[in-house]
Amino acid sequence: MAKIIAGVGSSHVPAIGAALDNGKTEEPYWKRVFSGFDKSKEWMAKIKPDVAIVVYNDHASAFSVDVIPTFALGCAAQFPPSDEGWGPRPVPVVKGHPALAAHIAQSVILDEFDLTIVNKMEVDHGLTVPLNLLFGQPKDEWPCPVIPLAVNVVMYPPPTGHRCYMLGKAIRKAVESYPEDLNVVIFGTGGLSHQISGPRAGLINSKWDTAFLDNLSKDPKKLTRIPHVEYMREAGAEGIEMMLWLIMRGALDDRVVEIYRFYIVPASNTAVGHIILENRLHSAKRWRKRNGLPKGQRPMPVKKRRAAAALRPVLRRGAR
Ligand SMILES: [Fe+2]
């Protein structure tokens, strides 16, 4: 049986992609951003997912105002990069997982979520930048197949936060009814607070962002009640991308283990946010494996584990 083992929330700021593509990652301004993802890359290399589902929004690369699907699921075998502005980024073609994608489409649509099935689609920085931040910058191919899910947050009306959260639950049900043993990671990308144009251009609301991350971890249902207008008022016109993180969160357990969080302002004119949440069962399994403990042994709560890890060097010094 396939299962979703973890969720990743990540900004997808296009300037991060440009910094990567133009060899600026060691410049002090960008180093402070990229170094925040070092631990995330280590984590990803350890869990080695078989498939990634990436929830993002298209920025007029695959869709134009002519056609804007609310939820578009990429069912193709591959998705070439393309982008607004300077054109496609020099990243590998994204390989899909057509069998799992078709299975998700069937399960979710029969569950009354009207996805658009997309058999030909290009993917932009909304998808490729978070892949870079978590997988690095591979030359030839990404380490696992990717199923893109493009969600409309650019033309009114986008779906509600509650609809996004419930779609996440339907995706989880779909994944868990797929017969092959696959470990799946789901990404929610976009945000955090930012506004690109108008009199409030440059708006960043760190207090609101932090509360969003706190609730995403501990009380996601609270976030499902936030109306569109509140995202736009508090997090800026483009801050509404944060709603995409609710699809990722809906696909996880009600209670999760927060593995890592990173927040920095600004990158370009955007607040950069990142979080890694693991389903408890998977987290416990990894902890037992790491410590050579038998099946059934319950892990210490994360806070206690961190306190014990901090004490270890002190105890070692004392023992000498
Ligand atoms: Fe975006």
Side-chain angles (χ1 to χ4, degrees), residues 9-48:
S10 168
S11 297
H12 61 217
V13 187
I16 293 179
L20 264 165
D21 302 341
N22 295 302
K24 294 184 176 178
T25 54
E26 290 303 312
E27 289 183 5
Y29 180 85
W30 288 110
K31 199 173 170 61
R32 69 195 232 297
V33 175
F34 288 105
S35 60
F37 289 83
D38 288 346
K39 279 188 184 154
S40 319
K41 285 206 271 289
E42 279 171 28
W43 171 84
M44 191 59 100
K46 265 184 211 150
I47 67 159
K48 288 191 182 64

Coordinates of all heavy atoms in Angstrom, one line a residue, residues 9-48:
G9 N 6.2 22.2 3.5 CA 5.8 23.6 3.1 C 7.0 24.4 2.7 O 8.0 24.3 3.4
S10 N 6.9 25.0 1.5 CA 8.0 25.8 1.1 C 7.6 27.0 0.2 O 6.7 26.8 -0.6 CB 9.0 25.0 0.4 OG 10.0 25.8 -0.3
S11 N 8.2 28.2 0.4 CA 8.0 29.3 -0.5 C 8.6 28.8 -1.9 O 9.4 27.9 -2.0 CB 8.8 30.5 0.0 OG 8.3 30.9 1.2
H12 N 8.1 29.5 -2.9 CA 8.6 29.2 -4.3 C 9.1 30.5 -5.0 O 9.0 30.5 -6.2 CB 7.6 28.4 -5.1 CG 6.3 29.0 -5.3 ND1 5.1 28.3 -5.3 CD2 6.0 30.3 -5.7 CE1 4.1 29.2 -5.6 NE2 4.6 30.4 -5.8
V13 N 9.6 31.4 -4.2 CA 10.1 32.7 -4.8 C 10.9 32.5 -6.1 O 11.9 31.9 -6.1 CB 11.0 33.4 -3.7 CG1 11.3 34.8 -4.2 CG2 10.3 33.4 -2.4
P14 N 10.5 33.2 -7.2 CA 11.2 33.0 -8.4 C 12.7 33.5 -8.3 O 13.6 32.9 -9.0 CB 10.4 33.8 -9.5 CG 9.5 34.7 -8.7 CD 9.3 34.0 -7.4
A15 N 12.9 34.5 -7.5 CA 14.3 35.0 -7.4 C 15.3 34.0 -6.8 O 16.5 34.0 -7.1 CB 14.3 36.3 -6.6
I16 N 14.7 33.0 -6.0 CA 15.6 32.0 -5.5 C 16.1 31.1 -6.6 O 17.2 30.7 -6.7 CB 14.8 31.1 -4.4 CG1 14.4 31.9 -3.2 CG2 15.5 29.9 -4.0 CD1 13.7 31.2 -2.1
G17 N 15.1 30.8 -7.6 CA 15.5 30.0 -8.7 C 16.6 30.7 -9.5 O 17.6 30.2 -10.0
A18 N 16.4 32.1 -9.7 CA 17.4 32.8 -10.5 C 18.7 32.9 -9.8 O 19.8 32.8 -10.4 CB 16.8 34.3 -10.7
A19 N 18.7 33.0 -8.5 CA 20.0 32.9 -7.7 C 20.7 31.6 -7.9 O 21.9 31.6 -8.1 CB 19.7 33.2 -6.2
L20 N 20.0 30.5 -7.9 CA 20.5 29.2 -8.1 C 21.1 29.1 -9.5 O 22.2 28.7 -9.7 CB 19.4 28.1 -8.0 CG 19.3 27.4 -6.6 CD1 17.9 26.7 -6.6 CD2 20.4 26.4 -6.4
D21 N 20.3 29.5 -10.5 CA 20.7 29.3 -11.9 C 21.9 30.2 -12.3 O 22.6 29.9 -13.2 CB 19.5 29.6 -12.8 CG 18.3 28.8 -12.5 OD1 18.5 27.7 -11.8 OD2 17.1 29.1 -12.8
N22 N 22.0 31.3 -11.6 CA 23.1 32.2 -11.9 C 24.3 32.1 -10.9 O 25.1 33.0 -10.9 CB 22.6 33.7 -12.0 CG 21.6 33.8 -13.1 OD1 21.9 33.6 -14.3 ND2 20.3 34.2 -12.8
G23 N 24.4 31.0 -10.2 CA 25.5 30.8 -9.3 C 25.7 31.8 -8.2 O 26.8 32.1 -7.8
K24 N 24.6 32.3 -7.6 CA 24.7 33.3 -6.6 C 24.5 32.7 -5.2 O 24.3 33.5 -4.2 CB 23.7 34.4 -6.8 CG 24.0 35.2 -8.1 CD 23.0 36.4 -8.2 CE 23.4 37.2 -9.5 NZ 22.5 38.3 -9.7
T25 N 24.4 31.4 -5.0 CA 24.1 30.8 -3.7 C 25.0 31.2 -2.6 O 24.7 31.1 -1.4 CB 23.9 29.3 -3.8 OG1 25.1 28.8 -4.4 CG2 22.8 28.9 -4.7
E26 N 26.3 31.5 -3.0 CA 27.3 31.8 -1.9 C 27.4 33.3 -1.6 O 28.1 33.7 -0.7 CB 28.7 31.3 -2.3 CG 28.8 29.8 -2.4 CD 28.5 29.1 -1.0 OE1 29.0 29.5 0.0 OE2 27.7 28.1 -1.0
E27 N 26.6 34.1 -2.3 CA 26.6 35.5 -2.0 C 25.9 35.7 -0.6 O 24.9 35.0 -0.4 CB 25.9 36.3 -3.1 CG 26.7 36.4 -4.4 CD 26.0 37.2 -5.4 OE1 24.9 37.8 -5.1 OE2 26.5 37.3 -6.6
P28 N 26.4 36.6 0.2 CA 25.8 36.7 1.6 C 24.3 36.8 1.6 O 23.7 36.2 2.4 CB 26.5 37.9 2.2 CG 27.8 38.1 1.4 CD 27.5 37.5 0.0
Y29 N 23.8 37.6 0.7 CA 22.3 37.8 0.7 C 21.6 36.5 0.5 O 20.6 36.2 1.2 CB 21.9 38.8 -0.4 CG 20.4 39.1 -0.4 CD1 19.8 40.0 0.4 CD2 19.6 38.3 -1.2 CE1 18.4 40.3 0.4 CE2 18.2 38.5 -1.3 CZ 17.6 39.5 -0.5 OH 16.3 39.7 -0.5
W30 N 22.1 35.7 -0.4 CA 21.4 34.4 -0.7 C 21.8 33.3 0.2 O 21.0 32.3 0.4 CB 21.6 34.0 -2.2 CG 20.8 35.0 -3.1 CD1 21.3 35.9 -3.9 CD2 19.4 35.0 -3.2 NE1 20.3 36.6 -4.5 CE2 19.1 36.1 -4.1 CE3 18.3 34.3 -2.6 CZ2 17.8 36.4 -4.4 CZ3 17.0 34.7 -2.9 CH2 16.7 35.7 -3.8
K31 N 23.1 33.3 0.7 CA 23.5 32.2 1.5 C 22.6 32.1 2.7 O 22.3 31.0 3.2 CB 25.0 32.5 1.9 CG 25.7 31.3 2.4 CD 27.2 31.5 2.7 CE 27.9 30.4 3.4 NZ 27.9 29.1 2.7
R32 N 22.2 33.2 3.3 CA 21.3 33.2 4.5 C 20.0 32.5 4.2 O 19.4 32.0 5.1 CB 21.2 34.6 5.1 CG 20.3 35.5 4.2 CD 20.4 36.9 4.5 NE 19.1 37.6 4.7 CZ 18.2 37.7 3.8 NH1 18.4 37.3 2.6 NH2 17.1 38.3 4.1
V33 N 19.6 32.5 2.9 CA 18.3 31.8 2.6 C 18.6 30.4 2.3 O 18.0 29.5 2.9 CB 17.7 32.5 1.3 CG1 16.5 31.7 0.8 CG2 17.4 33.9 1.5
F34 N 19.6 30.1 1.5 CA 19.9 28.7 1.1 C 20.3 27.8 2.3 O 20.0 26.7 2.4 CB 20.9 28.6 0.0 CG 20.3 29.0 -1.3 CD1 20.7 30.3 -1.9 CD2 19.4 28.2 -2.0 CE1 20.1 30.7 -3.1 CE2 18.9 28.6 -3.2 CZ 19.2 29.9 -3.7
S35 N 21.1 28.4 3.2 CA 21.6 27.7 4.4 C 20.4 27.2 5.2 O 20.5 26.2 5.9 CB 22.6 28.4 5.2 OG 22.0 29.6 5.7
G36 N 19.3 27.9 5.2 CA 18.1 27.5 5.9 C 17.5 26.2 5.4 O 16.7 25.6 6.1
F37 N 18.0 25.7 4.3 CA 17.4 24.5 3.7 C 18.5 23.3 3.7 O 18.2 22.3 3.2 CB 17.0 24.7 2.2 CG 15.7 25.6 2.2 CD1 15.8 27.0 2.2 CD2 14.5 25.0 2.1 CE1 14.6 27.7 2.2 CE2 13.3 25.7 2.0 CZ 13.4 27.1 2.1
D38 N 19.6 23.6 4.3 CA 20.7 22.5 4.4 C 20.1 21.3 5.1 O 20.3 20.2 4.7 CB 21.9 23.0 5.1 CG 22.7 24.0 4.3 OD1 22.4 24.1 3.0 OD2 23.6 24.7 4.8
K39 N 19.5 21.5 6.3 CA 19.0 20.4 7.1 C 17.9 19.7 6.3 O 17.7 18.5 6.4 CB 18.4 20.9 8.4 CG 19.5 21.1 9.5 CD 18.8 21.5 10.8 CE 20.0 21.8 11.8 NZ 19.6 22.6 12.8
S40 N 17.1 20.5 5.6 CA 16.0 19.9 4.8 C 16.5 19.0 3.8 O 15.9 17.9 3.5 CB 15.2 21.0 4.2 OG 15.0 22.1 5.1
K41 N 17.6 19.3 3.1 CA 18.1 18.5 2.1 C 18.6 17.2 2.7 O 18.5 16.1 2.1 CB 19.2 19.2 1.3 CG 18.7 20.2 0.4 CD 19.6 20.5 -0.8 CE 20.6 21.6 -0.5 NZ 20.1 23.0 -0.5
E42 N 19.3 17.3 3.9 CA 19.7 16.1 4.6 C 18.6 15.2 4.9 O 18.6 14.0 4.7 CB 20.4 16.5 5.9 CG 21.9 16.9 5.7 CD 22.4 17.5 7.0 OE1 21.9 17.1 8.1 OE2 23.3 18.4 6.9
W43 N 17.5 15.8 5.4 CA 16.3 15.0 5.8 C 15.7 14.3 4.6 O 15.4 13.1 4.6 CB 15.2 16.0 6.4 CG 13.9 15.4 6.6 CD1 13.5 14.7 7.7 CD2 12.8 15.5 5.7 NE1 12.2 14.3 7.5 CE2 11.7 14.8 6.3 CE3 12.5 16.1 4.5 CZ2 10.4 14.6 5.7 CZ3 11.3 16.0 3.9 CH2 10.3 15.2 4.5
M44 N 15.6 15.0 3.5 CA 15.1 14.5 2.2 C 15.9 13.3 1.7 O 15.4 12.3 1.3 CB 14.9 15.6 1.2 CG 14.1 15.2 0.0 SD 12.4 14.6 0.4 CE 11.5 16.1 0.0
A45 N 17.3 13.5 1.8 CA 18.2 12.4 1.4 C 18.0 11.2 2.2 O 18.2 10.1 1.7 CB 19.6 12.9 1.4
K46 N 17.6 11.4 3.5 CA 17.4 10.2 4.4 C 16.1 9.5 4.1 O 16.1 8.3 4.0 CB 17.5 10.7 5.8 CG 18.8 10.5 6.5 CD 18.8 10.9 7.9 CE 20.1 11.5 8.3 NZ 20.0 12.4 9.4
I47 N 15.1 10.3 3.9 CA 13.8 9.6 3.7 C 13.5 9.0 2.3 O 12.7 8.2 2.1 CB 12.6 10.4 4.2 CG1 12.4 11.6 3.3 CG2 12.7 10.8 5.6 CD1 10.9 12.1 3.4
K48 N 14.3 9.6 1.3 CA 14.2 9.1 -0.1 C 12.8 8.7 -0.5 O 12.5 7.5 -0.7 CB 15.1 7.8 -0.2 CG 16.6 8.1 -0.2 CD 17.3 6.8 -0.6 CE 18.8 6.9 -0.6 NZ 19.4 7.1 0.7

